[in-house]
């Protein structure tokens, strides 16, 4: 027996020593009974530490203040969205009475409530009050004011807001674009051109949409000079005029009674890059320029234009008959 290896013993051998295992039920009972004690001890320790910390640095008070401020802000923004400026003002007074100092977001809601009412005087009063408190208004607050002044055609007030933003080291490009667009939408095109050119001269760059909008609207009212100036600014900024822009200019040139101007524009397009080649609209405007001129042989000039169109642009067909 002494020479027999343990590896040759059968599994049910009486020489296999039983491995003692703890009772599953006892393990569960032990874990259940012991865990709450540790948890309770930890909770008691944490609570004692929190109370001590709260007494030392006032963190409990700051937590309460955050909750209270959140409640006030929810009510304030609700009233701001409803354009209830009096309600917003009352919430701000309630905040002060509760020992809370209104911040930039509180005054942003105050300004917005006036903006939604299109009350520019009330909005400016709210802004001045915020500044008098030594606060720095949010960028969104200035944007709301600029949008209001642009929509009401108050270009000078809008420029004053841009100047205030510059003093506070804000990037004014977005606000400038908003002001220009709102002035155009509110049919204050002359002011929009002035504000645009003032910003462009100061180094601000417009978006493609603003360039297109101004050139198109200037041409619609027959303001060829401003449209051309803005087109030059656009090209100086690195975006070349396209067929769309030339056609806008031609729409004005076609009615001036001097067809040579329209034909010169047409030739620039004819010998230019692919993005500025004449299309059907181009030929229509040039034909109109000749047919509306009283001192020219209209039939011959129009016939020559039609011949050029058929020869050089076989896929382009006229849809205007003079």
């Amino acid at each position: 027996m002494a020479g027999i290896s343990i590896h040759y013993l059968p599994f049910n051998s009486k020489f296999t020593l039983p491995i003692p295992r703890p009772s599953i039920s006892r393990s569960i009972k032990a874990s259940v009974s012991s865990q709450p004690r540790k948890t309770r001890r930890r909770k008691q320790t944490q609570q004692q530490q929190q109370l001590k910390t709260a007494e030392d640095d006032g963190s409990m008070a700051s937590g309460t203040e955050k909750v209270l401020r959140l409640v006030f802000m929810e009510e304030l923004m609700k009233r701001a969205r409803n354009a209830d400026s009096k309600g917003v003002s009352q919430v701000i007074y309630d905040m002060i009475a509760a020992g809370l100092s209104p911040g930039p977001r509180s005054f942003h809601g105050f300004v917005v409530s006036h903006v939604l009412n299109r009350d520019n005087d009330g909005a400016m009063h709210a802004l001045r009050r915020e500044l008098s408190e030594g606060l720095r208004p949010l960028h969104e607050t200035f944007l709301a004011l600029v949008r209001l002044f642009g929509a009401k055609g108050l270009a000078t007030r809008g420029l004053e807001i841009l100047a205030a933003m510059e003093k506070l080291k804000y990037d004014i490009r977005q606000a400038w674009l908003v002001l220009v667009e709102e002035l155009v939408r509110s049919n204050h095109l002359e002011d929009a051109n002035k504000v645009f050119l003032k910003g462009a001269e100061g180094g601000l760059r417009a978006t493609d949409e603003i360039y297109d909008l101004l050139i198109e609207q200037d041409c619609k009212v027959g303001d060829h000079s401003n449209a051309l100036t803005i087109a030059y600014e656009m090209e100086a900024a690195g975006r070349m005029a396209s067929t769309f822009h030339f056609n806008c200019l031609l729409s004005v040139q076609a009615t001036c009674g001097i067809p040579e101007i329209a034909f010169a524009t047409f030739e620039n397009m004819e010998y230019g890059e692919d993005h500025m080649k004449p299309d059907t609209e181009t030929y229509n405007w040039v034909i109109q320029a000749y047919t509306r001129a009283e001192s020219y042989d209209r039939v011959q000039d129009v016939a020559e234009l039609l011949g050029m169109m058929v020869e050089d642009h076989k896929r382009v067909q006229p849809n205007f008959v003079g």
Side-chain angles (χ1 to χ4, degrees):
M1 291 292 293
I4 299 176
S5 172
I6 192 172
H7 297 291
Y8 291 96
L9 292 175
F11 290 113
N12 58 355
S13 171
K14 61 181 179 181
F15 294 101
T16 304
L17 298 177
I19 300 175
R21 297 180 181 178
S23 170
I24 295 178
S25 60
R26 282 184 298 178
S27 299
I28 294 176
K29 288 179 180 179
S31 62
V32 170
S33 60
S34 61
Q35 188 171 354
R37 293 177 184 173
K38 293 181 180 179
T39 305
R40 283 197 295 270
R41 289 173 186 170
R42 288 175 184 172
K43 285 184 178 179
Q44 290 175 356
T45 304
Q46 290 174 355
Q47 288 175 353
Q48 290 173 355
Q49 291 177 348
Q50 288 176 353
L51 289 173
K52 183 178 179 181
T53 305
E55 292 172 352
D56 291 341
D57 60 11
S59 62
M60 290 288 285
S62 64
T64 304
E65 179 181 332
K66 289 179 181 179
V67 174
L68 188 59
R69 184 177 292 276
L70 179 61
V71 172
F72 276 117
M73 286 303 300
E74 287 180 349
E75 182 63 24
L76 188 149
M77 289 304 175
K78 177 182 177 181
R79 298 190 182 190
R81 286 191 292 268
N82 292 330
D84 182 6
S85 54
K86 291 183 179 179
V88 173
S89 180
Q90 184 59 52
V91 172
I92 290 177
Y93 281 121
D94 291 343
M95 290 178 68
I96 296 173
L100 301 176
S101 299
R105 294 205 171 275
S106 300
F107 282 102
H108 175 68
F110 197 18
V111 171
V112 167
S113 66
H114 287 291
V115 169
L116 293 176
N117 281 318
R118 296 178 64 83
D119 180 6
N120 48 291
D121 291 333
M124 285 302 297
H125 173 73
L127 178 66
R128 293 191 190 98
R129 180 177 169 185
E130 180 178 6
L131 293 171
S132 68
E133 296 288 337
L135 298 174
R136 176 186 171 91
L138 299 176
H139 188 266
E140 295 90 330
T141 303
F142 286 117
L143 281 179
L145 287 166
V146 165
R147 194 175 297 278
L148 171 64
F149 293 141
K152 299 190 74 172
L154 302 174
T156 302
R157 301 289 292 274
L159 289 173
E160 290 173 354
I161 295 298
L162 295 184
M165 292 179 70
E166 280 190 314
K167 288 182 179 180
L168 292 174
K169 307 300 181 183
Y170 276 123
D171 184 356
I172 67 169
R173 179 175 179 266
Q174 184 182 0
W176 169 66
L177 293 173
V178 168
L179 180 58
V180 171
E181 183 176 5
E182 290 297 332
L183 287 169
V184 174
R185 303 296 184 193
S186 60
N187 297 318
H188 293 85
L189 191 56
E190 184 177 354
D191 288 331
N193 284 315
K194 291 178 180 178
V195 171
F196 172 84
L197 293 174
K198 186 178 182 65
E201 291 169 0
L204 296 176
R205 179 169 178 174
T207 60
D208 292 351
E209 291 76 16
I210 290 295
Y211 285 125
D212 294 349
L213 177 65
L214 283 171
I215 292 173
E216 183 179 23
Q217 294 302 316
D218 280 334
C219 289
K220 281 184 177 180
V221 299
D223 190 352
H224 185 272
S225 177
N226 269 320
L228 193 60
T229 300
I230 291 170
Y232 287 147
E233 289 288 345
M234 180 180 69
E235 291 194 335
R239 185 191 182 209
M240 304 308 294
S242 66
T243 302
F244 166 78
H245 303 110
F246 281 107
N247 284 342
C248 287
L249 295 172
L250 281 170
S251 69
V252 183
Q253 296 167 3
T255 62
C256 71
I258 307 175
E260 288 91 351
I261 297 176
F263 190 74
T265 300
F266 169 79
E267 285 189 319
N268 286 335
M269 298 173 69
E270 179 76 13
Y271 300 109
E273 302 293 332
D274 290 340
H275 63 270
M276 56 189 291
K277 291 294 185 182
D279 60 6
T280 300
E281 185 179 353
T282 306
Y283 280 97
N284 289 334
W285 286 124
V286 178
I287 291 172
Q288 287 189 52
Y290 279 101
T291 56
R292 292 177 179 180
E294 298 180 355
S295 58
Y296 286 86
D297 184 355
R298 296 180 296 175
V299 176
Q300 182 179 351
D301 292 330
V302 170
E304 290 179 359
L305 280 170
L306 292 174
M308 291 174 60
M309 181 174 62
V310 172
E311 181 180 352
D312 298 334
H313 302 275
K314 299 183 184 300
R315 297 174 60 186
V316 178
Q317 298 297 326
N319 56 18
F320 172 81
V321 178

